[in-house]
């Protein structure tokens, strides 16, 4: 069937059965306390259903199941080909259920159906396929020794991994962590964000269908302070991988230091620059990249390039073209394939973003598009795409992560001034540079203190390239690429024979 209209997607939505329980040891179960929380569609403010609110007792049960599964070796010590087959079957099932999952994700998060179809229907299955394929192609090492000894360096799954997820790319962030963790042979306990628990619960069901043994993948929906903290402090969780705010990332370091010193992989906030050097033509490609770098996913993106540095002499040309593109953005019903920007994830988050816009106005920046206020005819938690002129380095909106659809233009006189302001942030996740000059491109790429530098387009890289941040944007752990597997593995030396030493 060729699906292309909002009505088609609404028909799928009407037929959806939303998961509502935790997934522990291969089964859907209620929270032990019986507690539940309301799950809201942020584009309509309607309640989609109620979901089990797990707390530390449920986390204990999930960890016990994960540990049992790990110790049996049914997954952790299974033949690489067997684990690969399961992940490939999961990838196939995810593709088969792509439209169902994409609509569920859109309803749960307010994201556009177009983005959900791309992420859930295409990128997510590709993650399970890519890491599945990697399993039987990953080798250990043999260290150089004299001929009386053999020194092997092997990798082993670390054990039980706690994965704590954000709401901005619910199933994609699950896949970023789950696929390498499962490929490494770990058992996992996943806590989705309270705003977006649905699709990862459905994925757990599909993983069981694909043949993943009971207990290997457990999902505990619930709140950060309860379920999230219980994961962070658990004595029998061997590693945590977290994506979310820098404040909560810091809490996970504290939890680890106050419990079992588990390693913590952190992917956190950003305040990423988009730098236009004076030789770059301000053409359609540049303008479209500038707008999507700041506003894609409603700006709810850790690598959003909100700070846009433009040569003073070319600021008017840049702003005119950006404003024309922003004016044409279609904001509204996420289930309409023509929609380019959906809702903010929650009423709280809408308030937070509007608060930043008010702070920008209060500190003297000038709104030239959008600004505060609801959008007529829309009941959900929308924010107009907003563009600020007269932003100066040091203003709140140029310093703190807004995580909303806000683009700020900061003029500069010399390229080194742009480099200095762009680098002067507590964050270091991402940067984009537009220039035709290869020497300048390399200079900026080398000097910008961040995990990804993208030249002449806005890109976070892809499945094959590591993603993570410098400074308060991340730890040394990386998601994606072969590097991600390292988060979930121990390295062991096996030394055989040789002279006594
Ligand atoms: P959080 O950092 O609060 O949430 C991320 C995850 O951590 C969620 O699963 C959350 O659970 C959990 N969590 C929250 N509090 C605790 C806690 N005390 N102990 C253990 N786990 C906890 O992000 P928010 O949703 O509150 O968003 C706030 C800001 O964070 C955004 O505006 C944005 O700036 C940034 N952010 C960055 C993301 C990124 O991709 N780097 C993603 C999301 C947010 P629960 O959902 O139940 O609170």
């Amino acid at each position: 069937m060729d699906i292309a209209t909002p009505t088609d997607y609404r028909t799928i939505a009407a037929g959806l059965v939303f998961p509502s329980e935790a997934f522990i040891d291969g089964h859907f179960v209620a929270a032990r306390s019986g507690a539940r929380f309301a799950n809201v569609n942020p584009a309509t403010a309607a309640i989609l259903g109620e979901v089990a609110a797990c707390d530390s007792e449920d986390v204990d049960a999930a960890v016990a199941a994960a540990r049992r599964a790990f110790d049996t070796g049914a997954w952790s010590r299974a033949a690489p080909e067997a684990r690969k087959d399961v992940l490939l079957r999961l990838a196939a099932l995810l593709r088969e259920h792509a439209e169902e999952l994409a609509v569920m994700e859109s309803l749960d998060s307010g994201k556009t159906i177009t983005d959900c179809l791309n992420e859930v229907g295409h990128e997510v299955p590709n993650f399970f396929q890519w890491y599945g394929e990697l399993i039987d192609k990953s080798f250990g090492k043999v260290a150089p020794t004299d001929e009386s000894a053999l020194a092997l360096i092997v990798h082993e799954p670390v054990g039980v991994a706690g994965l704590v997820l954000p709401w901005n790319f619910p199933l994609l962030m699950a896949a970023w962590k789950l696929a390498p963790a499962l490929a490494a042979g770990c058992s996992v306990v996943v806590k989705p964000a309270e705003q977006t628990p649905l699709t990862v619960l459905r994925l757990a069901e599909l993983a069981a269908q694909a043949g993943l043994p009971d207990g290997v993948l457990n999902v505990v929906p619930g709140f950060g302070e309860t379920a999230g903290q219980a994961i962070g402090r658990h004595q029998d969780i061997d590693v945590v991988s977290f994506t979310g705010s820098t404040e909560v990332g810091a809490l996970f370091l504290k939890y680890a230091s106050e419990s079992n010193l588990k390693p913590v992989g952190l992917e956190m906030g950003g305040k990423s620059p988009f730098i236009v050097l004076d030789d770059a033509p301000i053409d359609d490609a540049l303008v479209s990249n500038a707008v999507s770098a700041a506003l894609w996913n409603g700006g709810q993106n850790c690598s959003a390039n909100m700070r846009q540095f433009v040569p003073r002499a070319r600021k008017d040309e840049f702003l005119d073209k950006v404003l024309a593109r922003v004016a044409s953005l279609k904001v509204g019903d996420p289930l309409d394939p023509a929609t380019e920007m959906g809702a903010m994830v929650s009423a709280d988050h809408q308030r937070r973003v509007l608060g930043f816009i008010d702070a920008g106005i209060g500190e003297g920046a000038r709104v030239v598009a959008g600004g505060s206020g609801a959008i007529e005819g829309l009941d959900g938690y929308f924010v107009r795409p907003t563009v600020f002129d007269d932003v100066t380095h040091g203003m709140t909106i140029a310093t703190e992560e807004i995580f909303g659809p806000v683009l700020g233009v900061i003029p500069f006189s010399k390229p080194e001034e742009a480099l200095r302001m762009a680098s002067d942030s507590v964050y270091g996740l991402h940067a984009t540079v537009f220039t035709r000059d290869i020497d300048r491109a390399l200079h900026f790429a080398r000097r910008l203190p961040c995990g990804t530098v993208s030249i002449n387009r806005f890109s976070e890289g892809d499945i094959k390239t590591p993603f993570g941040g410098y400074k308060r944007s991340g730890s040394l752990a990386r998601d994606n690429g072969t590097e991600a597997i390292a988060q979930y593995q121990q390295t062991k030396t096996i030394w055989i024979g040789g002279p006594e030493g």
Side-chain angles (χ1 to χ4, degrees):
M1 170 164 82
D2 228 4
I3 296 186
T5 70
T7 311
D8 293 325
Y9 292 114
R10 278 195 208 103
T11 306
I12 294 179
L16 288 178
V17 177
F18 298 120
S20 58
E21 309 294 6
F23 192 84
I24 298 177
D25 209 7
H27 304 282
F28 281 118
V29 291
R32 275 157 173 69
S33 67
R36 311 182 75 73
F37 63 95
N39 184 31
V40 175
N41 176 350
T44 60
I47 291 179
L48 291 170
E50 289 197 330
V51 178
C54 293
D55 62 21
S56 61
E57 266 194 90
D58 307 290
V59 171
D60 284 347
V63 175
R67 177 62 60 192
R68 268 195 311 276
F70 188 80
D71 289 347
T72 65
W75 181 254
S76 56
R77 295 194 296 277
E81 295 76 7
R83 282 191 280 127
K84 176 174 92 169
D85 283 352
V86 171
L87 293 194
L88 294 186
R89 274 200 297 277
L90 175 56
L93 280 169
L94 288 163
R95 290 191 181 104
E96 216 176 282
H97 292 270
E99 277 156 0
E100 165 205 334
L101 282 160
V103 172
M104 197 183 277
E105 181 108 317
S106 176
L107 294 173
D108 207 13
S109 64
K111 289 163 66 79
T112 66
I113 187 67
T114 307
D115 282 348
C116 291
L117 283 168
N118 179 45
E119 286 156 24
V120 169
H122 177 64
E123 294 187 52
V124 168
N126 284 354
F127 265 84
F128 288 96
Q129 178 164 339
W130 198 82
Y131 284 98
E133 293 282 8
L134 198 61
I135 296 174
D136 64 355
K137 297 167 194 70
S138 300
F139 295 82
K141 289 198 249 181
V142 177
T145 59
D146 70 45
E147 67 178 11
S148 66
L150 184 62
L152 307 177
I153 301 163
V154 299
H155 297 296
E156 297 182 344
V158 70
V160 176
L163 311 179
V164 181
L165 304 179
W167 42 257
N168 51 343
F169 298 91
L171 202 61
L172 187 60
M173 290 304 103
W176 276 28
K177 296 186 189 299
L178 260 177
L182 293 176
C186 287
S187 294
V188 299
V189 176
V190 184
K191 194 202 91 62
E194 68 191 60
Q195 299 86 349
T196 53
L198 298 182
T199 46
V200 71
L201 284 165
R202 179 73 177 114
L203 178 143
E205 198 179 15
L206 293 175
Q209 205 177 316
L212 194 70
D214 288 353
V216 174
L217 166 52
N218 306 276
V219 183
V220 285
F223 299 108
E225 293 74 16
T226 48
Q229 177 159 197
I231 288 174
R233 292 189 181 278
H234 209 286
Q235 297 286 355
D236 204 27
I237 287 184
D238 301 296
V239 65
V240 159
S241 182
F242 165 82
T243 296
S245 62
T246 296
E247 293 71 25
V248 175
L251 286 179
F252 275 96
L253 294 177
K254 178 173 138 82
Y255 300 154
S257 75
E258 291 174 356
S259 56
N260 61 347
L261 301 183
K262 57 181 78 60
V264 178
L266 299 172
E267 202 272 275
M268 304 177 289
K271 193 71 198 175
S272 301
F274 184 99
I275 303 167
V276 179
L277 295 180
D278 53 9
D279 62 89
I282 299 179
D283 54 15
D284 288 350
L286 185 147
V287 170
S288 140
N289 273 275
V291 170
S292 66
L295 306 184
W296 171 54
N297 206 39
Q300 300 169 119
N301 178 18
C302 53
S303 55
N305 290 180
M306 181 275 169
R307 293 185 296 154
Q308 305 217 336
F309 295 95
V310 183
R312 201 172 299 280
R314 306 187 65 200
K315 192 191 75 170
D316 289 346
E317 180 192 359
F318 178 80
L319 253 180
D320 285 351
K321 291 182 177 172
V322 160
L323 289 176
R325 171 75 191 110
V326 168
S328 75
L329 273 182
K330 187 166 178 334
V331 183
D333 177 8
L335 287 184
D336 183 345
T339 297
E340 295 168 279
M341 211 180 97
M344 298 292 97
V345 75
S346 65
D348 277 353
H349 191 59
Q350 180 198 39
R351 264 193 299 278
R352 181 183 158 96
V353 172
L354 293 176
F356 275 115
I357 293 174
D358 288 344
I361 296 166
E363 289 178 20
R366 195 161 53 88
V367 171
V368 286
S372 310
I375 300 183
E376 210 177 307
L378 297 174
D379 293 331
Y381 313 127
F382 291 85
V383 172
R384 292 168 198 279
T386 296
V387 179
F388 274 106
D389 191 5
D390 297 335
V391 178
T392 54
H393 185 59
M395 281 181 177
T396 303
I397 56 166
T399 315
E400 294 187 27
E401 183 173 48
I402 299 174
F403 230 62
V406 181
L407 186 161
V409 178
I410 305 177
F412 65 86
S413 303
K414 296 204 164 112
E416 285 307 309
E417 186 194 359
L419 181 58
R420 183 183 53 73
M421 290 191 287
S423 307
D424 181 23
S425 168
V426 297
Y427 297 113
L429 193 56
H430 185 277
T432 305
V433 182
F434 270 73
T435 176
R436 285 285 170 91
D437 181 331
I438 186 69
D439 293 331
R440 284 169 134 191
L442 273 174
H443 177 68
F444 273 72
R446 294 277 194 203
R447 289 292 168 82
L448 284 161
C450 57
T452 300
V453 178
S454 183
I455 306 289
N456 289 337
R457 63 172 290 192
F458 169 68
S459 168
E460 296 176 351
D462 71 8
I463 194 167
K464 303 180 287 298
T465 54
F467 183 83
Y470 290 19
K471 301 193 266 184
R472 286 185 219 171
S473 289
S475 59
L476 291 178
R478 291 291 181 265
D479 289 325
N480 304 350
T482 52
E483 284 79 357
I485 296 259
Q487 281 193 62
Y488 308 104
Q489 285 178 324
Q490 288 283 15
T491 301
K492 179 181 274 181
T493 295
I494 301 177
W495 188 283
I496 304 169
E500 280 177 32

